[in-house]
Amino acid sequence: FRWAMRLTKRHVIAKTLTAVEDLGNITLLCSDKTGTLTENRQTVKNLIANDKELFQKLAIASLESLDEKRKKFQSSFDKAFLDYVPSDIQKQVQNYERLQELPFDPSARRRRVVYRDAKKTYLVEVGSVETLLAISKESKKDEYLKIISEDGKNGLRHLGIAYKEINYTNKDDFDILKHEKDLKFVGFVVLEDPLRPTAKHTIALAEKLGVAIKILSGDSKEVTEYVAREVGLIDSKQTVYTGDELAQMSDREFSHAVQENNAFARLNPEQKYRIIEVLKLNNVVGYQGDGINDVPALKLADVAIAVNNATDVAQDSADILLLRSDLGVIINGISYGRSIFSNINKYIRFTMVSNFGNFFAISALYLIAGANLPLLPIQLVLTSLLTDLPCITIATDNVSPAELVLPSKFNIHSLMFISMFLGSITALFEIMYYAIIKSQPIGVAQTGLYLFLTLVALIVIFSVRSKDHFWRAPKLSYAMTLSFGLVTAISIFTIYIGVTKRLFSFSALPIGILALTVIITIFYVFVLDTVKTWFYKSAVGTNL
């Protein structure tokens, strides 16, 4: 729960606890560029049309935002039109009646709307300029296509409108798809969607984490290539393939193109699905999508990611919800997911090493102690209770950057081996310590063993929290530092304070015994840390 709440503060909501681990395991992230690498803040820079007023009226009349059921999902294109078109023109179309519509079709690259004004009924199509030019009559087609190509190289997007007057009786007798011939191309707008200032830095951070990023876009090849180059995702050796080009490839060529290149344009849902399918063969794939057409790819991906204002079906399909549409949020979430997994591993190593050591040592001591118990049950309960407090704060511990480079994996065999191996060393030290102080009065011996067991349990955390020597490990978090200091102080004070001394049957330790306890504890941590470091550097420990 603590980890999930910390993820939320980073604008990431994990639907399940396993999703936290899955997020950290991502090695390849696929996403559209809009809203992640760009700000998804479309601005109309220019309008190219013979009749600009007609274009503006048709644009406002066909807005998806006029549909109250979908106002939540108002697209950035609709917002751009609303900001651009004068209010007097918007008022002129307020009374237009919407009769029928088909939502945006990724394959057809357009949406269709039928509406009626005071006199006539129209079929309006809004979408890709290239697509609309292909199904419309327009004498300036070549000129427009050249403009689109040149603008695309500078990252500018385009949205066109075509229409025709129709005879419309009722919805049951009218099939929009059968009336798309002889459309009249009205014109198009030039749109700018600025790159996020942090996009390039985010890509660099992803590379440090060993996370590859691929753009799966529905935009034109020119725009996709511009964005990918600007943020450093592709170089001169890479090619931006369109969905149509991928469709012409053999399975082998398709697989090679998908794995060797980082940006793809004009993709439909089926092509996105097929790309994810190929990438999953060698990667843990995360996919970020927001629309209905993204659902197949979301379902297939190892980790499905959606923004909180995505369509309901996309949110339902997602394992991770983002509170902000920003690639940096995803990358930071992956980094934190890996740190969570690293701290889970620390907790397991600590508890197993400490518990194995205590189990072997206490079992052996109780068997050979005879009439005098080496440790009273109430003292054993107290040391267990005190050493549980630092365990709680492991969730806050800092993680070495080296542990975030690649996702960690549980290796039960190695984990059990090192736990028993280091636990055996712990047990030997605890038995050796008791053998040294056994000649002391029974109360002193019991109290000394209690203190040694407590200090050893605390020292184990210092050592096993890193695979390197403990002095090279990241700085302890504030919560861990506080808990260590508090538990150490309580462990010592309980021996000398009258109330706790009587309650737990302690005897005040002579200065010599107290110093001996500290010296053996220090010697123990250096031996444990040396063996641990050797283990991780050897062939045995490399897979943990």
Side-chain angles (χ1 to χ4, degrees):
F1 177 77
R2 179 188 294 271
W3 285 315
M5 290 301 296
R6 286 179 176 271
L7 268 178
T8 303
K9 291 180 180 179
R10 288 164 171 78
H11 309 290
V12 178
I13 297 177
K15 287 187 175 181
T16 63
L17 290 178
T18 56
V20 176
E21 178 185 343
D22 293 338
L23 181 64
N25 286 336
I26 291 176
T27 58
L28 192 151
L29 177 65
C30 296
S31 174
D32 191 1
K33 62 178 183 56
T34 304
T36 52
L37 297 174
T38 67
E39 295 183 357
N40 197 23
R41 183 168 48 85
Q42 306 287 348
T43 304
V44 176
K45 306 297 291 183
N46 192 17
L47 169 56
I48 299 175
N50 291 329
D51 189 339
K52 294 185 177 181
E53 183 174 333
L54 174 62
F55 182 96
Q56 293 175 81
K57 286 182 177 179
L58 295 177
I60 297 300
S62 59
L63 290 181
E64 285 186 324
S65 57
L66 292 181
D67 183 348
E68 294 297 327
K69 293 181 179 178
R70 285 204 301 273
K71 257 190 175 177
K72 174 183 175 183
F73 313 115
Q74 184 183 74
S75 72
S76 58
F77 297 107
D78 287 351
K79 293 176 183 177
F81 281 142
L82 288 170
D83 291 338
Y84 178 75
V85 177
S87 58
D88 60 322
I89 293 180
Q90 294 188 34
K91 290 178 181 178
Q92 292 178 36
V93 300
Q94 282 182 351
N95 296 324
Y96 289 3
E97 181 185 2
R98 181 168 301 198
L99 303 172
Q100 192 176 341
E101 70 176 307
L102 292 177
F104 181 78
D105 183 345
S107 299
R109 298 170 185 165
R110 59 187 182 274
R111 70 173 185 258
R112 296 95 160 177
V113 178
V114 176
Y115 78 89
R116 179 184 294 141
D117 61 16
K119 300 177 180 178
K120 300 176 181 179
T121 304
Y122 304 92
L123 168 62
V124 181
E125 305 211 355
V126 184
S128 161
V129 177
E130 300 97 314
T131 302
L132 294 181
L133 285 172
I135 61 174
S136 304
K137 295 179 179 179
E138 177 53 60
S139 58
K140 297 181 180 180
K141 177 179 178 180
D142 292 338
E143 178 185 339
Y144 289 162
L145 290 176
K146 184 177 180 180
I147 292 173
I148 291 169
S149 178
E150 291 300 317
D151 285 348
K153 294 175 182 178
N154 295 314
L156 298 176
R157 305 173 71 180
H158 305 84
L159 195 66
I161 293 180
Y163 86 115
K164 65 184 290 189
E165 294 181 16
I166 58 173
N167 294 318
Y168 188 92
T169 54
N170 60 67
K171 183 176 180 179
D172 295 334
D173 296 332
F174 188 83
D175 186 346
I176 290 179
L177 300 182
K178 293 181 179 179
H179 291 77
E180 292 188 295
K181 295 180 181 179
D182 301 323
L183 293 171
K184 181 179 179 180
F185 187 75
V186 182
F188 61 93
V189 288
V190 181
L191 296 156
E192 182 181 43
D193 184 11
L195 288 172
R196 289 188 180 275
T198 58
K200 204 163 188 175
H201 171 74
T202 302
I203 297 296
L205 177 60
E207 289 179 357
K208 290 181 180 180
L209 295 175
V211 178
I213 296 176
K214 292 184 184 292
I215 297 176
L216 308 187
S217 178
D219 273 339
S220 68
K221 181 175 182 177
E222 292 81 7
V223 174
T224 303
E225 183 173 0
Y226 170 83
V227 173
R229 289 195 188 283
E230 285 296 306
V231 299
L233 266 183
I234 62 174
D235 53 30
S236 58
K237 297 179 182 179
Q238 292 207 20
T239 303
V240 177
Y241 289 105
T242 65
D244 292 338
E245 291 171 336
L246 292 174
Q248 303 300 318
M249 297 180 180
S250 65
D251 289 343
R252 185 175 180 180
E253 291 171 335
F254 181 90
S255 178
H256 182 268
V258 166
Q259 294 184 46
E260 295 299 320
N261 297 282
N262 291 334
F264 305 89
R266 291 297 189 211
L267 297 176
N268 60 39
E270 292 79 9
Q271 290 162 343
K272 290 182 180 180
Y273 184 94
R274 190 181 175 198
I275 289 174
I276 300 296
E277 196 172 35
V278 169
L279 295 175
K280 278 187 64 175
L281 297 176
N282 300 307
N283 300 277
V284 178
V285 179
Y287 179 79
Q288 191 266 322
D290 303 326
I292 295 175
N293 54 69
D294 290 311
V295 171
L298 287 169
K299 288 287 188 182
L300 180 64
D302 297 301
V303 185
I305 305 169
V307 182
N308 65 332
N309 62 352
T311 57
D312 290 340
V313 67
Q315 291 189 49
D316 290 341
S317 302
D319 305 303
I320 301 290
L321 289 178
L322 306 179
L323 301 181
R324 272 177 34 203
S325 180
D326 185 345
L327 183 65
V329 173
I330 305 176
I331 300 303
N332 287 333
I334 292 173
S335 175
Y336 190 65
R338 291 182 182 178
S339 69
I340 289 173
F341 191 81
S342 176
N343 284 337
I344 291 174
N345 262 326
K346 291 178 189 177
Y347 179 84
I348 294 173
R349 287 198 298 267
F350 160 68
T351 53
M352 293 187 72
V353 171
S354 180
N355 288 338
F356 269 126
N358 287 343
F359 174 78
F360 293 143
I362 297 299
S363 298
L365 291 175
Y366 271 86
L367 287 174
I368 63 177
N372 295 324
L373 294 177
L375 199 67
L376 296 177
I378 193 171
Q379 295 168 344
L380 183 59
V381 170
L382 178 61
T383 185
S384 297
L385 180 63
L386 288 175
T387 53
D388 277 345
L389 181 60
C391 287
I392 299 173
T393 62
I394 289 178
T396 69
D397 194 19
N398 298 313
V399 177
S400 169
E403 295 187 49
L404 303 178
V405 173
L406 290 174
S408 302
K409 295 288 184 182
F410 280 121
N411 188 320
I412 301 301
H413 294 293
S414 294
L415 190 60
M416 290 294 293
F417 183 82
I418 191 173
S419 298
M420 295 187 69
F421 189 57
L422 298 183
S424 298
I425 295 175
T426 303
L428 288 174
F429 266 86
E430 291 172 350
I431 293 172
M432 178 187 71
Y433 175 83
Y434 187 73
I436 294 173
I437 66 168
K438 186 179 180 181
S439 58
Q440 298 291 324
I442 185 61
V444 172
Q446 291 174 340
T447 303
L449 183 59
Y450 148 79
L451 183 59
F452 185 71
L453 289 179
T454 305
L455 294 179
V456 161
L458 296 176
I459 288 297
V460 166
I461 299 180
F462 268 107
S463 180
V464 301
R465 62 187 289 265
S466 170
K467 294 181 180 180
D468 204 343
H469 292 293
F470 69 87
W471 59 84
R472 295 176 181 169
K475 185 180 178 181
L476 283 172
S477 68
Y478 175 78
M480 289 191 73
T481 303
L482 183 62
S483 66
F484 275 117
L486 185 62
V487 170
T488 302
I490 292 174
S491 301
I492 297 173
F493 289 158
T494 51
I495 297 173
Y496 298 100
I497 296 175
V499 176
T500 54
K501 182 179 176 183
R502 290 191 298 272
L503 179 62
F504 296 102
S505 301
F506 288 138
S507 297
L509 293 179
I511 295 298
I513 298 297
L514 185 60
L516 177 67
T517 304
V518 173
I519 291 171
I520 296 178
T521 301
I522 294 174
F523 180 60
Y524 159 78
V525 71
F526 278 99
V527 171
L528 183 75
D529 200 66
T530 301
V531 173
K532 174 213 68 179
T533 306
W534 167 81
F535 176 85
Y536 280 119
K537 289 182 179 179
S538 69
V540 178
T542 53
N543 294 324
L544 184 57

